[in-house]
Amino acid sequence: MSGLQKFEQKLEQLISGAFAKAFRSEVKSVEIVAALQREIDNNAQVLSRQRRLVPNDFFVELSSSDLSKLESYGPHLKEELKRQLMDHAEAQGFVFPGRVSIEFGEAKDLTIGRFRVRSRAQAAVSGADMSDTQVSRAQAYLEINGTRHPLHGNLVVGRGTDADLRINDPGISRRHIEFRSKQAGDRVRVEVYDLGSTNGMLVNGQKMASATLDDGSQVRIGTTVITAHIVEERR
């Protein structure tokens, strides 16, 4: 019995067969699994002879009718899709940069029975994430893959354990870049420096060794984009 057949059987057990019956004339479970597997197969980046980096954040777009049916089955479907995807990745020697996430959404241009998958590699970030209250009071902070981190003084970003802010992105060096902030009048001046990394950095799309950042400036290292937020001093 193939892995996809086992997947369908397990889903039927979880939801009393309702899912499999409802989707025989519409989107089928095996089609979604196969599409997710193709997505990582087609977007694998070579890390070494035995390891390849693949996307870990997936968004499946469907018609409103198919989406309604999917949402009615609760968390079981997503969990089984993740498990199938992780099993496939392990068998192929694929590496996810962070936790696997699968979400569903409506696409008005899709008819019943049709869907598409969008994906991206989103690295896990290790560091003190800020609360909304802390963000409202901060003069400068960094936003990375949905997390926010305060910027005071100097901050080294890299993949190694000795970095102040760790990002699990294989395209990032152990100590890749350093942000330096200091008070300049009623604002904080933020600069970024490449620390001799292997792949360098892009600041607003341009390769640079160092740069002074504005509010909203984007620094790209590896596959990860870091957005700098700088605000005026609050009186």
Side-chain angles (χ1 to χ4, degrees):
M1 182 181 294
S2 71
L4 293 182
Q5 288 173 323
K6 290 179 181 178
F7 168 71
E8 277 200 315
Q9 278 194 357
K10 191 163 188 178
L11 270 182
E12 288 181 6
Q13 292 170 1
L14 284 170
I15 54 180
S16 302
F19 179 85
K21 293 175 182 176
F23 278 80
R24 278 183 185 140
S25 59
E26 296 151 349
V27 174
K28 296 181 180 179
S29 58
V30 290
E31 294 174 339
I32 296 177
V33 174
L36 291 169
Q37 292 179 347
R38 283 196 304 271
E39 188 71 12
I40 63 174
D41 290 344
N42 294 338
N43 289 282
Q45 301 179 40
V46 176
L47 298 178
S48 66
R49 290 182 62 184
Q50 296 181 329
R51 297 172 69 245
R52 286 174 287 174
L53 178 73
V54 293
N56 61 314
D57 190 67
F58 302 90
F59 187 67
V60 183
E61 296 179 306
L62 310 102
S63 69
S64 59
S65 176
D66 287 332
L67 179 61
S68 296
K69 290 184 174 63
L70 281 176
E71 291 178 337
S72 69
Y73 302 122
H76 301 299
L77 175 60
K78 286 184 182 179
E79 291 306 312
E80 284 306 311
L81 289 172
K82 290 179 188 178
R83 189 169 291 109
Q84 282 291 314
L85 202 55
M86 289 188 287
D87 288 347
H88 177 71
E90 183 177 1
Q92 299 299 319
F94 294 155
V95 177
F96 294 114
R99 69 179 184 85
V100 176
S101 173
I102 301 174
E103 298 296 333
F104 300 107
E106 179 183 353
K108 295 187 181 300
D109 62 319
L110 294 177
T111 56
I112 293 176
R114 298 183 63 84
F115 67 96
R116 59 173 166 257
V117 177
R118 302 184 189 277
S119 68
R120 60 179 178 174
Q122 185 160 318
V125 182
S126 301
D129 196 4
M130 301 172 67
S131 67
D132 291 339
T133 300
Q134 289 173 314
V135 169
S136 68
R137 295 173 180 172
Q139 284 189 272
Y141 64 94
L142 304 175
E143 187 171 1
I144 314 168
N145 292 348
T147 64
R148 298 168 296 187
H149 306 270
L151 189 54
H152 304 295
N154 297 348
L155 182 77
V156 173
V157 179
R159 187 168 46 85
T161 56
D162 55 344
D164 300 313
L165 190 60
R166 295 181 61 195
I167 303 177
N168 186 30
D169 182 332
I172 294 177
S173 298
R174 296 184 63 82
R175 289 171 59 88
H176 199 114
I177 58 175
E178 182 176 29
F179 289 92
R180 302 175 187 173
S181 62
K182 60 183 178 180
Q183 197 70 36
D186 62 351
R187 288 177 65 99
V188 171
R189 179 184 175 90
V190 177
E191 300 171 339
V192 63
Y193 294 85
D194 189 328
L195 299 178
S197 66
T198 301
N199 297 320
M201 69 174 179
L202 299 178
V203 179
N204 296 326
Q206 300 295 317
K207 189 164 188 176
M208 296 184 180
S210 64
T212 299
L213 305 179
D214 297 316
D215 181 42
S217 290
Q218 293 190 327
V219 180
R220 183 184 181 94
I221 54 176
T223 61
T224 301
V225 175
I226 303 171
T227 303
H229 294 279
I230 308 166
V231 298
E232 293 184 2
E233 184 178 14
R234 295 173 177 84
R235 302 183 183 279

